[in-house]
Each structure stands twice: as structure tokens, then as C-alpha cells.
Amino acid sequence: MTTASSADHPTRRDFLYVATGAVAAVGAAATVWPLVSQMNPDASTIAAGAPIEVDLTPIAEGQDIKVFWRGKPIYISHRTKKQIEEARKVPVASLPDPQSDESRVKPGHDQWLVVVGICTHLGCIPIAHEGAYDGFFCPCHGSVYDTSGRIRQGPAPTNLPVPPYTFVTDTKIQIG
């Protein structure tokens, strides 16, 4: 039988119940954590193919940046109106690998060119804003690409490839 005075004050037994429950909760969390954590992909899997997001706001007009996705360099160019006009004036039939500028950019985002920065001849990395067409120039064997990443001169057989990408917002893209 309990009296009113002992029910109002916690006893030593109440403390032991709370302490045991707290230790059990911490132990359960410590046991479950590694089991849940092992379900996440490891770092090599994430690095091998996970999509990346790139913020375009710091890229000034006429400038480009290089990021890496799946171990490949990706050039993101913020093209000027002059560069876009020059790329669109080229007769597509005169190109070694015929492809229009419009098919290499996303509709409504003509100023942004996203290409894999690996020369299609022997896998060298071309230099941006070089060559006769102010696009990309591969110094190893002389391949010259225009501002749309299309091959114009040299031994490269095809244009610089366009990776899969989407615009998340007007100022952010997701590659992959």
C-alpha cells in the first residue's frame, strides 16, 4: 500500500526504470545505425555515376568552367550573342559531323553549352577559347572545334559529345 507522500516523490526504483530505458534506447539506436548506414551506396559508386548539380550564376558571359562528372571533364560555356550567331550561321552540310547548334543546347537556354571536354580523336583534353573558331582546340593533333563544340578542322571524327543534363532552375543544371 502506498501513501500519498511516497507517490508524490520519485523513488529509487523509478530512477532505475528511467535509466534502464534510456540505456536500452541508446543501445537500440547504436545497433540499428550501422544496419541502416550499410544500405547507402559507397563513395566509389557515388563518384562513378551520381548526378552533379552546378550553379551557373558565377559564370560570366563569355566565360566557361570545367567540372568533373564520372571522371570526365565537362565544359560549361556561357556563350555571348556573337558566339551563338556565329555558330548558327555555319551551313550544317559543310560540317564533318553535321549537327545544328540548336540540337546541341537546351531550348530557351541557347547561351549555355555543356559538352564533354575529351577530344574525339584520341582522348586528349582540348583548350577552351582557342583555335580559329574561338571554340576548343586540341593541341595534341590539331583538332579545332567551334563555339558549339562541333568539329571544324583536324583529325577528330565527331563533335564533342553533349552529356545528359537538365536545367533544375534557370541558374542551376544537373548533369547525369
Side-chain angles (χ1 to χ4, degrees), residues 75-88:
Y75 282 110
I76 302 171
S77 298
H78 189 177
R79 304 185 302 169
T80 63
K81 291 190 186 307
K82 180 183 174 197
Q83 289 173 322
I84 295 168
E85 289 169 2
E86 287 175 358
R88 295 197 172 166

PDB file of all heavy atoms in Angstrom, residues 75-88:
ATOM      1  N   TYR A  75      32.890  20.823 -69.927  1.00  0.00           N
ATOM      2  CA  TYR A  75      32.972  22.267 -70.130  1.00  0.00           C
ATOM      3  C   TYR A  75      31.564  22.841 -70.134  1.00  0.00           C
ATOM      4  O   TYR A  75      30.687  22.349 -70.840  1.00  0.00           O
ATOM      5  CB  TYR A  75      33.640  22.607 -71.463  1.00  0.00           C
ATOM      6  CG  TYR A  75      35.132  22.482 -71.464  1.00  0.00           C
ATOM      7  CD1 TYR A  75      35.766  21.466 -72.168  1.00  0.00           C
ATOM      8  CD2 TYR A  75      35.923  23.388 -70.769  1.00  0.00           C
ATOM      9  CE1 TYR A  75      37.144  21.354 -72.185  1.00  0.00           C
ATOM     10  CE2 TYR A  75      37.301  23.287 -70.785  1.00  0.00           C
ATOM     11  CZ  TYR A  75      37.905  22.266 -71.491  1.00  0.00           C
ATOM     12  OH  TYR A  75      39.264  22.162 -71.497  1.00  0.00           O
ATOM     13  N   ILE A  76      31.363  23.897 -69.352  1.00  0.00           N
ATOM     14  CA  ILE A  76      30.101  24.632 -69.346  1.00  0.00           C
ATOM     15  C   ILE A  76      30.444  26.047 -69.790  1.00  0.00           C
ATOM     16  O   ILE A  76      31.148  26.777 -69.086  1.00  0.00           O
ATOM     17  CB  ILE A  76      29.452  24.633 -67.956  1.00  0.00           C
ATOM     18  CG1 ILE A  76      29.209  23.197 -67.497  1.00  0.00           C
ATOM     19  CG2 ILE A  76      28.152  25.427 -67.970  1.00  0.00           C
ATOM     20  CD1 ILE A  76      28.774  23.076 -66.054  1.00  0.00           C
ATOM     21  N   SER A  77      29.953  26.430 -70.965  1.00  0.00           N
ATOM     22  CA  SER A  77      30.269  27.735 -71.543  1.00  0.00           C
ATOM     23  C   SER A  77      29.049  28.637 -71.521  1.00  0.00           C
ATOM     24  O   SER A  77      27.965  28.230 -71.933  1.00  0.00           O
ATOM     25  CB  SER A  77      30.731  27.582 -72.999  1.00  0.00           C
ATOM     26  OG  SER A  77      31.893  26.811 -73.065  1.00  0.00           O
ATOM     27  N   HIS A  78      29.249  29.854 -71.056  1.00  0.00           N
ATOM     28  CA  HIS A  78      28.212  30.893 -71.120  1.00  0.00           C
ATOM     29  C   HIS A  78      28.530  31.716 -72.363  1.00  0.00           C
ATOM     30  O   HIS A  78      29.343  32.624 -72.333  1.00  0.00           O
ATOM     31  CB  HIS A  78      28.244  31.748 -69.862  1.00  0.00           C
ATOM     32  CG  HIS A  78      27.089  32.685 -69.756  1.00  0.00           C
ATOM     33  ND1 HIS A  78      26.912  33.485 -68.668  1.00  0.00           N
ATOM     34  CD2 HIS A  78      26.052  32.959 -70.581  1.00  0.00           C
ATOM     35  CE1 HIS A  78      25.818  34.217 -68.821  1.00  0.00           C
ATOM     36  NE2 HIS A  78      25.294  33.911 -69.990  1.00  0.00           N
ATOM     37  N   ARG A  79      27.888  31.369 -73.466  1.00  0.00           N
ATOM     38  CA  ARG A  79      28.202  31.957 -74.753  1.00  0.00           C
ATOM     39  C   ARG A  79      27.596  33.353 -74.911  1.00  0.00           C
ATOM     40  O   ARG A  79      26.513  33.631 -74.412  1.00  0.00           O
ATOM     41  CB  ARG A  79      27.710  31.053 -75.885  1.00  0.00           C
ATOM     42  CG  ARG A  79      28.266  29.648 -75.780  1.00  0.00           C
ATOM     43  CD  ARG A  79      27.904  28.785 -76.941  1.00  0.00           C
ATOM     44  NE  ARG A  79      26.455  28.674 -77.137  1.00  0.00           N
ATOM     45  CZ  ARG A  79      25.904  28.139 -78.211  1.00  0.00           C
ATOM     46  NH1 ARG A  79      26.658  27.648 -79.177  1.00  0.00           N
ATOM     47  NH2 ARG A  79      24.595  28.060 -78.325  1.00  0.00           N
ATOM     48  N   THR A  80      28.320  34.183 -75.641  1.00  0.00           N
ATOM     49  CA  THR A  80      27.820  35.518 -75.947  1.00  0.00           C
ATOM     50  C   THR A  80      26.876  35.432 -77.144  1.00  0.00           C
ATOM     51  O   THR A  80      26.838  34.424 -77.855  1.00  0.00           O
ATOM     52  CB  THR A  80      28.981  36.470 -76.284  1.00  0.00           C
ATOM     53  OG1 THR A  80      29.635  35.987 -77.471  1.00  0.00           O
ATOM     54  CG2 THR A  80      29.986  36.559 -75.142  1.00  0.00           C
ATOM     55  N   LYS A  81      26.124  36.502 -77.371  1.00  0.00           N
ATOM     56  CA  LYS A  81      25.223  36.537 -78.531  1.00  0.00           C
ATOM     57  C   LYS A  81      26.014  36.386 -79.832  1.00  0.00           C
ATOM     58  O   LYS A  81      25.570  35.722 -80.764  1.00  0.00           O
ATOM     59  CB  LYS A  81      24.416  37.829 -78.540  1.00  0.00           C
ATOM     60  CG  LYS A  81      23.402  37.912 -77.419  1.00  0.00           C
ATOM     61  CD  LYS A  81      22.470  39.084 -77.622  1.00  0.00           C
ATOM     62  CE  LYS A  81      21.530  39.302 -76.464  1.00  0.00           C
ATOM     63  NZ  LYS A  81      20.765  38.178 -76.051  1.00  0.00           N
ATOM     64  N   LYS A  82      27.190  36.991 -79.882  1.00  0.00           N
ATOM     65  CA  LYS A  82      28.033  36.893 -81.080  1.00  0.00           C
ATOM     66  C   LYS A  82      28.450  35.436 -81.324  1.00  0.00           C
ATOM     67  O   LYS A  82      28.418  34.964 -82.453  1.00  0.00           O
ATOM     68  CB  LYS A  82      29.264  37.785 -80.910  1.00  0.00           C
ATOM     69  CG  LYS A  82      30.204  37.755 -82.084  1.00  0.00           C
ATOM     70  CD  LYS A  82      31.441  38.590 -81.832  1.00  0.00           C
ATOM     71  CE  LYS A  82      32.413  38.405 -82.973  1.00  0.00           C
ATOM     72  NZ  LYS A  82      33.754  38.831 -82.643  1.00  0.00           N
ATOM     73  N   GLN A  83      28.836  34.718 -80.273  1.00  0.00           N
ATOM     74  CA  GLN A  83      29.230  33.320 -80.429  1.00  0.00           C
ATOM     75  C   GLN A  83      28.055  32.459 -80.900  1.00  0.00           C
ATOM     76  O   GLN A  83      28.226  31.575 -81.739  1.00  0.00           O
ATOM     77  CB  GLN A  83      29.767  32.775 -79.105  1.00  0.00           C
ATOM     78  CG  GLN A  83      31.109  33.335 -78.705  1.00  0.00           C
ATOM     79  CD  GLN A  83      31.529  32.895 -77.314  1.00  0.00           C
ATOM     80  OE1 GLN A  83      30.711  32.791 -76.406  1.00  0.00           O
ATOM     81  NE2 GLN A  83      32.823  32.647 -77.151  1.00  0.00           N
ATOM     82  N   ILE A  84      26.871  32.736 -80.381  1.00  0.00           N
ATOM     83  CA  ILE A  84      25.681  31.973 -80.786  1.00  0.00           C
ATOM     84  C   ILE A  84      25.363  32.255 -82.251  1.00  0.00           C
ATOM     85  O   ILE A  84      25.107  31.327 -83.040  1.00  0.00           O
ATOM     86  CB  ILE A  84      24.478  32.316 -79.882  1.00  0.00           C
ATOM     87  CG1 ILE A  84      24.752  31.874 -78.444  1.00  0.00           C
ATOM     88  CG2 ILE A  84      23.202  31.653 -80.395  1.00  0.00           C
ATOM     89  CD1 ILE A  84      23.761  32.406 -77.427  1.00  0.00           C
ATOM     90  N   GLU A  85      25.401  33.531 -82.652  1.00  0.00           N
ATOM     91  CA  GLU A  85      25.111  33.891 -84.041  1.00  0.00           C
ATOM     92  C   GLU A  85      26.116  33.264 -84.995  1.00  0.00           C
ATOM     93  O   GLU A  85      25.740  32.761 -86.056  1.00  0.00           O
ATOM     94  CB  GLU A  85      25.113  35.420 -84.192  1.00  0.00           C
ATOM     95  CG  GLU A  85      23.923  36.089 -83.541  1.00  0.00           C
ATOM     96  CD  GLU A  85      24.074  37.606 -83.475  1.00  0.00           C
ATOM     97  OE1 GLU A  85      25.090  38.150 -83.976  1.00  0.00           O
ATOM     98  OE2 GLU A  85      23.172  38.248 -82.902  1.00  0.00           O
ATOM     99  N   GLU A  86      27.414  33.286 -84.636  1.00  0.00           N
ATOM    100  CA  GLU A  86      28.434  32.681 -85.495  1.00  0.00           C
ATOM    101  C   GLU A  86      28.215  31.176 -85.636  1.00  0.00           C
ATOM    102  O   GLU A  86      28.373  30.616 -86.714  1.00  0.00           O
ATOM    103  CB  GLU A  86      29.826  32.965 -84.935  1.00  0.00           C
ATOM    104  CG  GLU A  86      30.280  34.391 -85.105  1.00  0.00           C
ATOM    105  CD  GLU A  86      31.614  34.670 -84.442  1.00  0.00           C
ATOM    106  OE1 GLU A  86      32.196  33.750 -83.802  1.00  0.00           O
ATOM    107  OE2 GLU A  86      32.081  35.822 -84.530  1.00  0.00           O
ATOM    108  N   ALA A  87      27.842  30.519 -84.551  1.00  0.00           N
ATOM    109  CA  ALA A  87      27.611  29.076 -84.600  1.00  0.00           C
ATOM    110  C   ALA A  87      26.396  28.737 -85.455  1.00  0.00           C
ATOM    111  O   ALA A  87      26.374  27.703 -86.132  1.00  0.00           O
ATOM    112  CB  ALA A  87      27.435  28.525 -83.193  1.00  0.00           C
ATOM    113  N   ARG A  88      25.394  29.592 -85.463  1.00  0.00           N
ATOM    114  CA  ARG A  88      24.162  29.312 -86.211  1.00  0.00           C
ATOM    115  C   ARG A  88      24.261  29.718 -87.679  1.00  0.00           C
ATOM    116  O   ARG A  88      23.454  29.272 -88.484  1.00  0.00           O
ATOM    117  CB  ARG A  88      22.984  29.999 -85.532  1.00  0.00           C
ATOM    118  CG  ARG A  88      22.788  29.378 -84.164  1.00  0.00           C
ATOM    119  CD  ARG A  88      21.503  29.645 -83.544  1.00  0.00           C
ATOM    120  NE  ARG A  88      21.402  28.825 -82.331  1.00  0.00           N
ATOM    121  CZ  ARG A  88      20.512  28.990 -81.409  1.00  0.00           C
ATOM    122  NH1 ARG A  88      19.598  29.917 -81.536  1.00  0.00           N
ATOM    123  NH2 ARG A  88      20.499  28.202 -80.357  1.00  0.00           N
TER     124      ARG A  88
END
